[in-house]
Amino acid sequence: MLVTPYLSFDGQCEAAFKFYERYLNGNLVALLTYGDSPMADQVPPERRGKIMHARLALGDAVLMGGDCPQGQYRVPQGFTVTLGIDDPDEAERVFTALSEGGSVQMPLQETFWAARFGMLIDRFGIPWMINCERAA
């Protein structure tokens, strides 16, 4: 079984996934708009450029998402996307990038279980945890 987070946006999916691609060193595999889909004629013209489906490859993992149909977006709650990063310097880099324009919930710091751990909500409203476990 493979668990893949699917993130919902209110019109910012393209910007978010291009940001994640750059700062998470990912590969944006798919960025499909409502206008490119078979249902294009059922979508208001101003929403046709919004993203119906995005897929970002992050090593062996995948992050997916899309813009919600108009009026259906809800602020994310009840989950956090967690990134496990082996190198403390890389954890610092990713945390700094994701927190830019967002809000830090817990600064990246050493904890009893991790060389670095921190929590933030990025500029797109997505909650993240960065965890860099201590070397064994």
Side-chain angles (χ1 to χ4, degrees), residues 1 5 11-12 21-22 24 30 39 44 52 58 60 69 74 80 83 85 89 108 113 115 121 128 130-131 133:
M1 180 182 298
Q12 298 176 308
E21 177 184 38
R22 179 176 179 194
L24 300 179
M39 60 187 277
M52 184 178 78
L58 299 166
D60 292 337
R74 301 290 178 261
T80 303
L83 298 176
I85 300 174
D89 291 335
L108 193 68
W113 74 87
I121 297 174
W128 297 86
I130 306 302
N131 191 50
E133 293 186 11

PDB file of all heavy atoms in Angstrom, residues 1 5 11-12 21-22 24 30 39 44 52 58 60 69 74 80 83 85 89 108 113 115 121 128 130-131 133:
ATOM      1  N   MET A   1       0.844  -1.171   0.000  1.00  0.00           N
ATOM      2  CA  MET A   1       0.000   0.000   0.000  1.00  0.00           C
ATOM      3  C   MET A   1       0.892   1.238   0.000  1.00  0.00           C
ATOM      4  O   MET A   1       1.875   1.309   0.722  1.00  0.00           O
ATOM      5  CB  MET A   1      -0.882   0.002   1.252  1.00  0.00           C
ATOM      6  CG  MET A   1      -1.793   1.196   1.316  1.00  0.00           C
ATOM      7  SD  MET A   1      -2.808   1.262   2.812  1.00  0.00           S
ATOM      8  CE  MET A   1      -3.764  -0.223   2.622  1.00  0.00           C
ATOM      9  N   PRO A   5      -0.128  11.992  -0.173  1.00  0.00           N
ATOM     10  CA  PRO A   5      -0.913  13.185   0.166  1.00  0.00           C
ATOM     11  C   PRO A   5      -1.462  13.851  -1.098  1.00  0.00           C
ATOM     12  O   PRO A   5      -0.760  13.956  -2.100  1.00  0.00           O
ATOM     13  CB  PRO A   5       0.097  14.109   0.851  1.00  0.00           C
ATOM     14  CG  PRO A   5       1.251  13.241   1.211  1.00  0.00           C
ATOM     15  CD  PRO A   5       1.265  12.113   0.240  1.00  0.00           C
ATOM     16  N   GLY A  11      -7.041  27.915  -6.001  1.00  0.00           N
ATOM     17  CA  GLY A  11      -6.532  28.659  -7.144  1.00  0.00           C
ATOM     18  C   GLY A  11      -5.036  28.871  -7.157  1.00  0.00           C
ATOM     19  O   GLY A  11      -4.515  29.496  -8.072  1.00  0.00           O
ATOM     20  N   GLN A  12      -4.319  28.352  -6.174  1.00  0.00           N
ATOM     21  CA  GLN A  12      -2.875  28.547  -6.089  1.00  0.00           C
ATOM     22  C   GLN A  12      -2.066  27.279  -6.347  1.00  0.00           C
ATOM     23  O   GLN A  12      -0.869  27.251  -6.091  1.00  0.00           O
ATOM     24  CB  GLN A  12      -2.498  29.071  -4.706  1.00  0.00           C
ATOM     25  CG  GLN A  12      -3.092  30.405  -4.362  1.00  0.00           C
ATOM     26  CD  GLN A  12      -2.728  30.786  -2.941  1.00  0.00           C
ATOM     27  OE1 GLN A  12      -2.929  30.021  -2.009  1.00  0.00           O
ATOM     28  NE2 GLN A  12      -2.168  31.974  -2.795  1.00  0.00           N
ATOM     29  N   GLU A  21       8.422  22.116  -6.331  1.00  0.00           N
ATOM     30  CA  GLU A  21       9.373  21.496  -7.249  1.00  0.00           C
ATOM     31  C   GLU A  21      10.765  22.103  -7.056  1.00  0.00           C
ATOM     32  O   GLU A  21      11.765  21.380  -6.964  1.00  0.00           O
ATOM     33  CB  GLU A  21       8.923  21.682  -8.699  1.00  0.00           C
ATOM     34  CG  GLU A  21       9.909  21.111  -9.709  1.00  0.00           C
ATOM     35  CD  GLU A  21       9.515  21.378 -11.144  1.00  0.00           C
ATOM     36  OE1 GLU A  21       8.999  22.488 -11.441  1.00  0.00           O
ATOM     37  OE2 GLU A  21       9.734  20.485 -11.985  1.00  0.00           O
ATOM     38  N   ARG A  22      10.813  23.411  -6.989  1.00  0.00           N
ATOM     39  CA  ARG A  22      12.099  24.103  -6.863  1.00  0.00           C
ATOM     40  C   ARG A  22      12.770  23.837  -5.518  1.00  0.00           C
ATOM     41  O   ARG A  22      13.939  23.484  -5.449  1.00  0.00           O
ATOM     42  CB  ARG A  22      11.896  25.603  -7.062  1.00  0.00           C
ATOM     43  CG  ARG A  22      13.158  26.398  -6.931  1.00  0.00           C
ATOM     44  CD  ARG A  22      12.922  27.849  -7.237  1.00  0.00           C
ATOM     45  NE  ARG A  22      14.179  28.572  -7.077  1.00  0.00           N
ATOM     46  CZ  ARG A  22      14.267  29.865  -7.017  1.00  0.00           C
ATOM     47  NH1 ARG A  22      13.188  30.602  -7.131  1.00  0.00           N
ATOM     48  NH2 ARG A  22      15.430  30.444  -6.857  1.00  0.00           N
ATOM     49  N   LEU A  24      11.953  21.638  -3.009  1.00  0.00           N
ATOM     50  CA  LEU A  24      12.035  20.258  -2.520  1.00  0.00           C
ATOM     51  C   LEU A  24      12.804  19.373  -3.493  1.00  0.00           C
ATOM     52  O   LEU A  24      12.843  18.159  -3.333  1.00  0.00           O
ATOM     53  CB  LEU A  24      10.627  19.691  -2.283  1.00  0.00           C
ATOM     54  CG  LEU A  24       9.769  20.433  -1.268  1.00  0.00           C
ATOM     55  CD1 LEU A  24       8.393  19.772  -1.145  1.00  0.00           C
ATOM     56  CD2 LEU A  24      10.457  20.522   0.084  1.00  0.00           C
ATOM     57  N   ALA A  30       3.158  16.141 -13.690  1.00  0.00           N
ATOM     58  CA  ALA A  30       1.880  16.498 -14.311  1.00  0.00           C
ATOM     59  C   ALA A  30       1.363  17.808 -13.741  1.00  0.00           C
ATOM     60  O   ALA A  30       1.480  18.059 -12.540  1.00  0.00           O
ATOM     61  CB  ALA A  30       0.850  15.397 -14.089  1.00  0.00           C
ATOM     62  N   MET A  39     -13.876  17.857 -19.466  1.00  0.00           N
ATOM     63  CA  MET A  39     -14.970  18.598 -18.857  1.00  0.00           C
ATOM     64  C   MET A  39     -14.793  20.120 -18.978  1.00  0.00           C
ATOM     65  O   MET A  39     -15.469  20.888 -18.307  1.00  0.00           O
ATOM     66  CB  MET A  39     -15.118  18.203 -17.388  1.00  0.00           C
ATOM     67  CG  MET A  39     -13.885  18.471 -16.551  1.00  0.00           C
ATOM     68  SD  MET A  39     -13.986  17.824 -14.875  1.00  0.00           S
ATOM     69  CE  MET A  39     -14.883  19.125 -14.074  1.00  0.00           C
ATOM     70  N   PRO A  44     -16.477  27.153 -15.588  1.00  0.00           N
ATOM     71  CA  PRO A  44     -16.527  28.569 -15.961  1.00  0.00           C
ATOM     72  C   PRO A  44     -15.212  29.004 -16.614  1.00  0.00           C
ATOM     73  O   PRO A  44     -14.132  28.549 -16.200  1.00  0.00           O
ATOM     74  CB  PRO A  44     -16.742  29.295 -14.626  1.00  0.00           C
ATOM     75  CG  PRO A  44     -17.276  28.268 -13.694  1.00  0.00           C
ATOM     76  CD  PRO A  44     -16.720  26.953 -14.161  1.00  0.00           C
ATOM     77  N   MET A  52      -6.440  21.042 -12.341  1.00  0.00           N
ATOM     78  CA  MET A  52      -7.309  19.926 -11.993  1.00  0.00           C
ATOM     79  C   MET A  52      -6.498  18.836 -11.266  1.00  0.00           C
ATOM     80  O   MET A  52      -6.981  18.192 -10.343  1.00  0.00           O
ATOM     81  CB  MET A  52      -7.944  19.338 -13.251  1.00  0.00           C
ATOM     82  CG  MET A  52      -8.934  18.229 -12.980  1.00  0.00           C
ATOM     83  SD  MET A  52      -9.686  17.617 -14.495  1.00  0.00           S
ATOM     84  CE  MET A  52      -8.367  16.594 -15.113  1.00  0.00           C
ATOM     85  N   LEU A  58       9.038  13.161  -5.698  1.00  0.00           N
ATOM     86  CA  LEU A  58      10.063  13.536  -4.723  1.00  0.00           C
ATOM     87  C   LEU A  58      10.831  12.274  -4.363  1.00  0.00           C
ATOM     88  O   LEU A  58      10.498  11.597  -3.390  1.00  0.00           O
ATOM     89  CB  LEU A  58       9.413  14.140  -3.471  1.00  0.00           C
ATOM     90  CG  LEU A  58       8.601  15.411  -3.674  1.00  0.00           C
ATOM     91  CD1 LEU A  58       7.745  15.719  -2.455  1.00  0.00           C
ATOM     92  CD2 LEU A  58       9.532  16.568  -3.981  1.00  0.00           C
ATOM     93  N   ASP A  60      11.391   8.671  -4.150  1.00  0.00           N
ATOM     94  CA  ASP A  60      10.458   7.546  -4.228  1.00  0.00           C
ATOM     95  C   ASP A  60       9.040   7.929  -3.809  1.00  0.00           C
ATOM     96  O   ASP A  60       8.139   7.110  -3.860  1.00  0.00           O
ATOM     97  CB  ASP A  60      10.933   6.397  -3.329  1.00  0.00           C
ATOM     98  CG  ASP A  60      12.218   5.764  -3.844  1.00  0.00           C
ATOM     99  OD1 ASP A  60      12.500   5.889  -5.053  1.00  0.00           O
ATOM    100  OD2 ASP A  60      12.951   5.160  -3.030  1.00  0.00           O
ATOM    101  N   PRO A  69     -12.915  22.794  -7.073  1.00  0.00           N
ATOM    102  CA  PRO A  69     -13.948  23.485  -7.835  1.00  0.00           C
ATOM    103  C   PRO A  69     -14.398  24.736  -7.065  1.00  0.00           C
ATOM    104  O   PRO A  69     -14.345  24.768  -5.828  1.00  0.00           O
ATOM    105  CB  PRO A  69     -15.075  22.459  -7.931  1.00  0.00           C
ATOM    106  CG  PRO A  69     -14.378  21.140  -7.822  1.00  0.00           C
ATOM    107  CD  PRO A  69     -13.245  21.385  -6.851  1.00  0.00           C
ATOM    108  N   ARG A  74     -11.786  24.369   1.335  1.00  0.00           N
ATOM    109  CA  ARG A  74     -11.804  24.484   2.793  1.00  0.00           C
ATOM    110  C   ARG A  74     -10.355  24.592   3.266  1.00  0.00           C
ATOM    111  O   ARG A  74      -9.473  23.904   2.745  1.00  0.00           O
ATOM    112  CB  ARG A  74     -12.449  23.259   3.459  1.00  0.00           C
ATOM    113  CG  ARG A  74     -13.874  22.989   3.035  1.00  0.00           C
ATOM    114  CD  ARG A  74     -14.828  24.057   3.587  1.00  0.00           C
ATOM    115  NE  ARG A  74     -16.185  23.841   3.148  1.00  0.00           N
ATOM    116  CZ  ARG A  74     -16.764  24.485   2.129  1.00  0.00           C
ATOM    117  NH1 ARG A  74     -16.110  25.362   1.431  1.00  0.00           N
ATOM    118  NH2 ARG A  74     -18.013  24.241   1.794  1.00  0.00           N
ATOM    119  N   THR A  80      -0.847  17.045   8.565  1.00  0.00           N
ATOM    120  CA  THR A  80       0.411  17.749   8.323  1.00  0.00           C
ATOM    121  C   THR A  80       1.230  16.902   7.365  1.00  0.00           C
ATOM    122  O   THR A  80       1.301  15.688   7.518  1.00  0.00           O
ATOM    123  CB  THR A  80       1.202  17.930   9.635  1.00  0.00           C
ATOM    124  OG1 THR A  80       0.379  18.621  10.572  1.00  0.00           O
ATOM    125  CG2 THR A  80       2.470  18.711   9.419  1.00  0.00           C
ATOM    126  N   LEU A  83       8.136  15.852   6.195  1.00  0.00           N
ATOM    127  CA  LEU A  83       9.312  15.534   5.389  1.00  0.00           C
ATOM    128  C   LEU A  83      10.399  15.006   6.312  1.00  0.00           C
ATOM    129  O   LEU A  83      10.794  15.692   7.261  1.00  0.00           O
ATOM    130  CB  LEU A  83       9.823  16.781   4.663  1.00  0.00           C
ATOM    131  CG  LEU A  83       8.875  17.424   3.655  1.00  0.00           C
ATOM    132  CD1 LEU A  83       9.484  18.707   3.097  1.00  0.00           C
ATOM    133  CD2 LEU A  83       8.550  16.457   2.533  1.00  0.00           C
ATOM    134  N   ILE A  85      14.157  14.303   6.566  1.00  0.00           N
ATOM    135  CA  ILE A  85      15.375  14.738   5.881  1.00  0.00           C
ATOM    136  C   ILE A  85      16.568  14.280   6.709  1.00  0.00           C
ATOM    137  O   ILE A  85      16.615  14.512   7.923  1.00  0.00           O
ATOM    138  CB  ILE A  85      15.367  16.274   5.698  1.00  0.00           C
ATOM    139  CG1 ILE A  85      14.150  16.683   4.856  1.00  0.00           C
ATOM    140  CG2 ILE A  85      16.661  16.755   5.071  1.00  0.00           C
ATOM    141  CD1 ILE A  85      13.938  18.171   4.724  1.00  0.00           C
ATOM    142  N   ASP A  89      21.653  20.343   7.631  1.00  0.00           N
ATOM    143  CA  ASP A  89      21.761  21.537   6.786  1.00  0.00           C
ATOM    144  C   ASP A  89      20.653  21.573   5.739  1.00  0.00           C
ATOM    145  O   ASP A  89      20.090  22.633   5.453  1.00  0.00           O
ATOM    146  CB  ASP A  89      23.129  21.599   6.091  1.00  0.00           C
ATOM    147  CG  ASP A  89      24.260  21.869   7.078  1.00  0.00           C
ATOM    148  OD1 ASP A  89      24.001  22.456   8.156  1.00  0.00           O
ATOM    149  OD2 ASP A  89      25.413  21.488   6.772  1.00  0.00           O
ATOM    150  N   LEU A 108      12.580  25.488  13.788  1.00  0.00           N
ATOM    151  CA  LEU A 108      13.413  24.306  13.570  1.00  0.00           C
ATOM    152  C   LEU A 108      14.494  24.292  14.647  1.00  0.00           C
ATOM    153  O   LEU A 108      15.215  25.268  14.827  1.00  0.00           O
ATOM    154  CB  LEU A 108      14.040  24.358  12.173  1.00  0.00           C
ATOM    155  CG  LEU A 108      14.676  23.071  11.694  1.00  0.00           C
ATOM    156  CD1 LEU A 108      13.603  22.010  11.447  1.00  0.00           C
ATOM    157  CD2 LEU A 108      15.477  23.306  10.426  1.00  0.00           C
ATOM    158  N   TRP A 113      14.392  13.735  20.156  1.00  0.00           N
ATOM    159  CA  TRP A 113      14.378  12.663  19.161  1.00  0.00           C
ATOM    160  C   TRP A 113      15.043  13.050  17.842  1.00  0.00           C
ATOM    161  O   TRP A 113      15.309  12.195  17.012  1.00  0.00           O
ATOM    162  CB  TRP A 113      12.947  12.199  18.865  1.00  0.00           C
ATOM    163  CG  TRP A 113      12.166  13.164  18.026  1.00  0.00           C
ATOM    164  CD1 TRP A 113      12.134  13.222  16.652  1.00  0.00           C
ATOM    165  CD2 TRP A 113      11.330  14.213  18.483  1.00  0.00           C
ATOM    166  NE1 TRP A 113      11.326  14.255  16.241  1.00  0.00           N
ATOM    167  CE2 TRP A 113      10.816  14.881  17.361  1.00  0.00           C
ATOM    168  CE3 TRP A 113      10.954  14.669  19.749  1.00  0.00           C
ATOM    169  CZ2 TRP A 113       9.955  15.967  17.446  1.00  0.00           C
ATOM    170  CZ3 TRP A 113      10.093  15.745  19.842  1.00  0.00           C
ATOM    171  CH2 TRP A 113       9.612  16.383  18.701  1.00  0.00           C
ATOM    172  N   ALA A 115      17.739  15.689  15.377  1.00  0.00           N
ATOM    173  CA  ALA A 115      18.790  16.689  15.233  1.00  0.00           C
ATOM    174  C   ALA A 115      18.155  18.031  14.890  1.00  0.00           C
ATOM    175  O   ALA A 115      18.634  19.081  15.306  1.00  0.00           O
ATOM    176  CB  ALA A 115      19.781  16.267  14.155  1.00  0.00           C
ATOM    177  N   ILE A 121       3.336  26.530   8.576  1.00  0.00           N
ATOM    178  CA  ILE A 121       2.283  26.563   7.560  1.00  0.00           C
ATOM    179  C   ILE A 121       2.834  27.432   6.443  1.00  0.00           C
ATOM    180  O   ILE A 121       3.228  28.582   6.684  1.00  0.00           O
ATOM    181  CB  ILE A 121       0.963  27.119   8.122  1.00  0.00           C
ATOM    182  CG1 ILE A 121       0.452  26.202   9.235  1.00  0.00           C
ATOM    183  CG2 ILE A 121      -0.082  27.260   7.007  1.00  0.00           C
ATOM    184  CD1 ILE A 121      -0.761  26.722   9.970  1.00  0.00           C
ATOM    185  N   TRP A 128       3.235  21.815   7.425  1.00  0.00           N
ATOM    186  CA  TRP A 128       4.402  20.951   7.239  1.00  0.00           C
ATOM    187  C   TRP A 128       5.108  20.699   8.557  1.00  0.00           C
ATOM    188  O   TRP A 128       5.136  21.563   9.427  1.00  0.00           O
ATOM    189  CB  TRP A 128       5.422  21.611   6.313  1.00  0.00           C
ATOM    190  CG  TRP A 128       4.959  21.856   4.919  1.00  0.00           C
ATOM    191  CD1 TRP A 128       4.269  22.956   4.479  1.00  0.00           C
ATOM    192  CD2 TRP A 128       5.159  21.021   3.793  1.00  0.00           C
ATOM    193  NE1 TRP A 128       4.038  22.828   3.138  1.00  0.00           N
ATOM    194  CE2 TRP A 128       4.566  21.665   2.677  1.00  0.00           C
ATOM    195  CE3 TRP A 128       5.785  19.794   3.599  1.00  0.00           C
ATOM    196  CZ2 TRP A 128       4.586  21.117   1.403  1.00  0.00           C
ATOM    197  CZ3 TRP A 128       5.809  19.248   2.321  1.00  0.00           C
ATOM    198  CH2 TRP A 128       5.212  19.907   1.242  1.00  0.00           C
ATOM    199  N   ILE A 130       9.066  19.308   9.491  1.00  0.00           N
ATOM    200  CA  ILE A 130      10.375  18.903   8.994  1.00  0.00           C
ATOM    201  C   ILE A 130      11.036  18.127  10.125  1.00  0.00           C
ATOM    202  O   ILE A 130      11.176  18.639  11.246  1.00  0.00           O
ATOM    203  CB  ILE A 130      11.242  20.133   8.623  1.00  0.00           C
ATOM    204  CG1 ILE A 130      10.506  21.058   7.651  1.00  0.00           C
ATOM    205  CG2 ILE A 130      12.594  19.680   8.071  1.00  0.00           C
ATOM    206  CD1 ILE A 130      10.066  20.446   6.358  1.00  0.00           C
ATOM    207  N   ASN A 131      11.422  16.902   9.840  1.00  0.00           N
ATOM    208  CA  ASN A 131      12.014  16.031  10.852  1.00  0.00           C
ATOM    209  C   ASN A 131      13.342  15.478  10.339  1.00  0.00           C
ATOM    210  O   ASN A 131      13.385  14.817   9.308  1.00  0.00           O
ATOM    211  CB  ASN A 131      11.067  14.884  11.188  1.00  0.00           C
ATOM    212  CG  ASN A 131      11.512  14.122  12.411  1.00  0.00           C
ATOM    213  OD1 ASN A 131      11.800  14.716  13.435  1.00  0.00           O
ATOM    214  ND2 ASN A 131      11.544  12.806  12.305  1.00  0.00           N
ATOM    215  N   GLU A 133      15.987  13.156  11.905  1.00  0.00           N
ATOM    216  CA  GLU A 133      16.286  12.308  13.066  1.00  0.00           C
ATOM    217  C   GLU A 133      17.774  12.296  13.361  1.00  0.00           C
ATOM    218  O   GLU A 133      18.601  12.546  12.489  1.00  0.00           O
ATOM    219  CB  GLU A 133      15.773  10.889  12.810  1.00  0.00           C
ATOM    220  CG  GLU A 133      14.258  10.831  12.757  1.00  0.00           C
ATOM    221  CD  GLU A 133      13.732   9.420  12.652  1.00  0.00           C
ATOM    222  OE1 GLU A 133      14.490   8.453  12.814  1.00  0.00           O
ATOM    223  OE2 GLU A 133      12.503   9.303  12.411  1.00  0.00           O
TER     224      GLU A 133
END
